[in-house]
Amino acid sequence: MELRICHLYPDLLNLYGDRGNITTLVMRARWRGFSVRVIEARLDDPVDPDASDLFFIGGGEDRQQRLAAPDLCGVKGSALREAAAAGAAILAVCGGYQLLGHYYRPAGGPDLVGLGLLDLHTVHPGPGSRRIIGNIVVREAGAGRILVGFENHGGRTYLGSGARPIGTAIVGSGNNGQDRGEGAVWRSVYGTYLHGPLLPKNPWLADELTAAALRRRYGSTAGEVALEPLPDLEEHRAAAAAAVRAGARGLSWPEARGQRPEHPS
């Protein structure tokens, strides 16, 4: 099997080591014996909706978002909507996350029209407002798994009824500092404010994205080929230590003790 990844705007939206998410996806697939193909799509590059099954967009400042927004909607928009509707996995971080919504209203200048893949919008409260910065620990809304990362954003994101948060911020502020929600999910489309990068610290999410991408490419065949567990003990210990350092207490983390979790990994 082959994992086909498309890295969108690798030279434009790549804050805080977001590229490390690509490295994590590639290495975890190769360790399992899959071949991997990574395509980079920059400004003005069209996207083939059938050529890739996992798309990644990193974060950037307002200036970079102003450059990317019209290209995302105009050059790549139709292809990404088609791919998402067909089951492709998409992961977007911070600035990329904001651009997957309906619009981003920056502190200065006009609204940036987003792709509308996620039912949300983002508003910057204005110059001089407090940035949301710091370590963050999130409990996933589904199986209760833990995400750790680092958030740094000025915009406040508000979800509509067509999207649900990835989880609840145990430590940190999340989407808007008000409702404790962090990130957004629709089908296999994920948006989040967790930098860090995200996937090396949270290998279960990397595997979830990979599984979705393989299902899209290989259908029922992929369903019969479950992802082989990898020896992630050190990754879980590192994530558990990061959660404690961030201020989270009392978390049950059997994986960090080398035990099998009750939820699927």
Side-chain angles (χ1 to χ4, degrees):
M1 291 184 176
E2 183 178 60
L3 178 63
R4 303 182 183 188
I5 302 170
C6 180
H7 189 179
L8 297 162
Y9 312 111
D11 55 339
L12 195 63
L13 299 178
N14 181 37
L15 277 180
Y16 310 120
D18 286 339
R19 183 184 291 271
N21 293 310
I22 297 293
T23 302
T24 299
L25 291 165
V26 169
M27 295 310 299
R28 292 182 71 81
R30 287 178 176 166
W31 289 337
R32 291 182 164 107
F34 302 137
S35 60
V36 183
R37 182 171 64 181
V38 180
I39 299 171
E40 294 189 346
R42 302 166 192 262
L43 289 176
D44 298 323
D45 290 342
V47 169
D48 181 346
D50 298 320
S52 302
D53 304 303
L54 202 169
F55 297 83
F56 174 73
I57 314 175
E61 299 175 353
D62 285 3
R63 185 178 68 84
Q64 286 81 17
Q65 287 180 267
R66 289 192 183 94
L67 293 171
D71 183 86
L72 184 68
C73 294
V75 178
K76 301 173 175 63
S78 295
L80 290 173
R81 291 189 188 93
E82 182 179 338
I90 299 178
L91 174 63
V93 175
C94 200
Y97 169 37
Q98 295 170 346
L99 294 180
L100 288 195
H102 299 300
Y103 65 88
Y104 167 48
R105 180 166 297 159
D111 290 0
L112 305 181
V113 177
L115 200 55
L117 269 180
L118 291 172
D119 183 15
L120 59 85
H121 68 277
T122 302
V123 176
H124 194 294
S129 59
R130 180 182 69 88
R131 286 189 69 82
I132 294 175
I133 302 175
N135 292 316
I136 180 170
V137 181
V138 177
R139 186 185 300 281
E140 180 207 14
R145 293 169 290 196
I146 300 298
L147 287 165
V148 298
F150 178 77
E151 59 180 347
N152 183 357
H153 55 103
R156 273 58 164 170
T157 295
Y158 301 92
L159 274 57
S161 60
R164 60 176 173 82
I166 292 176
T168 301
I170 301 170
V171 176
S173 298
N175 285 328
N176 51 50
Q178 298 171 14
D179 60 20
R180 311 297 299 174
E182 204 296 315
V185 184
W186 173 75
R187 294 192 175 185
S188 295
V189 180
Y190 293 78
T192 179
Y193 277 116
L194 272 67
H195 286 282
L198 169 65
L199 298 182
K201 294 180 178 178
N202 304 283
W204 67 263
L205 182 55
D207 290 352
E208 199 154 293
L209 293 164
T210 296
L214 293 177
R215 281 196 300 272
R216 190 239 180 169
R217 175 65 49 182
Y218 299 102
S220 58
T221 303
E224 298 168 0
V225 183
L227 295 181
E228 291 293 329
L230 294 174
D232 288 332
L233 180 58
E234 293 306 319
E235 285 84 350
H236 290 304
R237 284 176 173 170
V244 171
R245 190 178 301 119
R249 296 290 185 272
L251 295 177
S252 175
W253 210 309
E255 301 98 321
R257 300 190 296 274
Q259 301 172 357
R260 290 179 62 85
E262 295 181 358
H263 52 70
S265 60

